[in-house]
Amino acid sequence: MLDANLKAQLKSYLERVTQPIEIVASLDDGAKSQEMLALLKDIVSLSNQITLLDNGTDARKPSFSLNRPGSDISLRFAGIPMGHEFTSLVLALLQVGGHPSKASAEVIEQIRSLKGEFNFETYFSLSCQNCPDVVQALNLMAVLNPNIRHVAIDGALFQAEVDERKVMAVPSIYLNGVNFGQGRMGLEEILAKLDTGAVEKQAQKLNAKEAFDVLVVGGGPAGASAAIYAARKGIRTGVAAERFGGQVLDTMAIENFVSVKETEGPKLAAALEEHVKLRISEHRDRPFRLIVTGHFANA
Ligand SMILES: Cc1cc2nc3c(=O)[nH]c(=O)nc-3n(C[C@H](O)[C@H](O)[C@H](O)COP(=O)(O)OP(=O)(O)OC[C@H]3O[C@@H](n4cnc5c(N)ncnc54)[C@H](O)[C@@H]3O)c2cc1C
């Protein structure tokens, strides 16, 4: 199923797995089930931390869950996560296998302290560029909090559900059976929607900080540029933005951005964030701050 190159890459990623992973597949006689089984067997062959059971009884077939024996993680792929979702599969394996995520300590704590029952279902397609952000955010939440469960569903394999729920576009997210949102959404945005006190908490945190000399509103290229130059000149600078990157995050293909012939939106957004943080960190000994707040505009 996986070619030699992909296997080699995946094998090196899986070396970061520190805790056993149990994959439980729910299969039927169809060709897609066979395809899924072949993929899962490939994965198992690449790490001795991973085991596979193919006697799952989930109603969605083909599907597979990733479990950490002894813990209560509920994370499932209903579909074969190749294409744009392959990264989501790799990250899910790493995180279920104990590899820490890159989310901030604050966000991780916020996820862990969410109370209630959250059954998420996300419909994706393998060609959807906006889907992996959502799938990865919800998978991470499911890994961190046993009250959160997530199933990522390839709509092409579960057409009856798509029709019944009238899913018109992907990603389409359902929470406890009710439509939760559509389109690209990051971890912070999902959390802000779930944690009704989040905006208030953020506003309180901001209030507790010393005043900025300059507070840049918006984390797109213009905001990033303003923050870099203000910080560089020794001005106490903050950034208030829902996410770094602005509109750049709404597209994969960026062309003719001054001095950059072509790149990808998420790559450019990550470079903007890194540059802003670098300028700030160069002056750690001076009283500068960088803040990126979710839904600041609503506070
Ligand atoms: C689909 C698409 C494809 C594109 N392709 C290209 C391309 O190929 N090449 C190219 O050069 N450009 C491209 N662009 C345009 C490029 O993304 C924009 O020119 C650039 O992002 C503008 O930067 P900006 O910082 O001025 O504004 P934005 O990127 O819009 O950033 C503004 C930020 O401020 C935030 N904000 C606004 N008001 C508030 C408020 N009150 N409180 C808090 N936050 C607020 C917004 O949420 C946003 O994050 C494309 C844009 C899109 C949508």
Side-chain angles (χ1 to χ4, degrees):
M1 173 83 193
L2 298 175
D3 65 28
N5 187 25
L6 218 45
K7 272 190 186 171
Q9 281 183 35
L10 187 54
K11 189 175 169 52
S12 82
Y13 279 123
L14 293 178
E15 279 161 15
R16 300 177 201 175
V17 167
T18 56
Q19 298 184 44
I21 302 170
E22 184 184 70
I23 303 178
V24 181
S26 298
L27 306 169
D28 58 19
D29 297 332
K32 285 291 170 192
S33 285
Q34 292 313 307
E35 220 180 290
M36 179 179 283
L37 188 58
L39 169 68
L40 298 177
K41 282 182 174 170
D42 276 353
I43 292 171
V44 171
S45 74
L46 300 174
S47 167
N48 54 16
Q49 293 271 31
I50 308 178
T51 51
L52 171 63
L53 295 173
D54 61 4
N55 58 355
T57 54
D58 192 79
R60 288 192 181 98
K61 294 185 176 73
S63 71
F64 64 93
S65 61
L66 298 182
N67 313 308
R68 185 189 296 158
S71 73
D72 198 6
I73 293 173
S74 182
L75 185 165
R76 175 176 298 277
F77 286 95
I80 302 167
M82 297 302 290
H84 287 295
E85 289 306 332
F86 189 65
T87 312
S88 305
L89 171 62
V90 176
L91 278 174
L93 285 164
L94 291 182
Q95 287 161 0
V96 172
H99 188 70
S101 102
K102 287 187 178 155
S104 70
E106 195 182 325
V107 165
I108 289 174
E109 185 45 42
Q110 201 183 346
I111 295 169
R112 287 204 165 116
S113 56
L114 279 175
K115 303 261 183 305
E117 293 294 316
F118 305 95
N119 289 306
F120 280 104
E121 296 160 297
T122 305
Y123 291 89
F124 68 87
S125 78
L126 296 182
S127 59
C128 160
Q129 294 173 339
N130 289 329
C131 294
D133 277 3
V134 173
V135 171
Q136 288 163 26
L138 290 170
N139 280 348
L140 175 63
M141 289 170 67
V143 169
L144 293 173
N145 185 332
N147 299 326
I148 302 172
R149 288 168 279 279
H150 182 223
V151 190
I153 305 155
D154 180 355
L157 297 192
F158 294 90
Q159 196 60 50
E161 283 186 38
V162 166
D163 293 344
E164 192 188 325
R165 283 183 155 168
K166 298 187 172 51
V167 174
M168 302 299 282
V170 285
S172 222
I173 311 163
Y174 285 76
L175 170 58
N176 299 334
V178 177
N179 190 283
F180 177 77
Q182 256 177 359
R184 186 195 287 267
M185 237 187 256
L187 204 45
E188 281 87 353
E189 283 165 277
I190 295 172
L191 279 174
K193 273 187 97 163
L194 285 181
D195 185 355
T196 47
V199 169
E200 182 59 30
K201 275 185 241 159
Q202 276 176 345
Q204 281 170 6
K205 258 188 356 203
L206 270 179
N207 277 344
K209 292 202 176 280
E210 284 176 53
F212 299 106
D213 291 329
V214 168
L215 184 65
V216 178
V217 178
S225 176
I228 287 165
Y229 274 83
R232 192 170 163 251
K233 294 293 175 192
I235 295 169
R236 206 179 142 73
T237 306
V239 177
E242 280 188 340
R243 57 184 192 177
F244 252 107
Q247 289 177 56
V248 160
L249 274 178
D250 295 331
T251 178
M252 274 308 273
I254 290 280
E255 292 170 353
N256 301 310
F257 193 89
V258 180
S259 91
V260 182
K261 274 194 227 137
E262 53 183 290
T263 186
E264 290 171 2
K267 228 187 224 178
L268 181 58
L272 290 175
E273 181 169 1
E274 191 189 336
H275 196 172
V276 172
K277 287 183 171 165
L278 178 72
R279 283 293 160 262
I280 302 288
S281 68
E282 277 174 352
H283 302 284
R284 271 205 206 287
D285 50 329
R286 295 158 79 180
F288 298 164
R289 297 281 189 281
L290 171 71
I291 294 184
V292 180
T293 64
H295 290 247
F296 177 78
N298 302 330

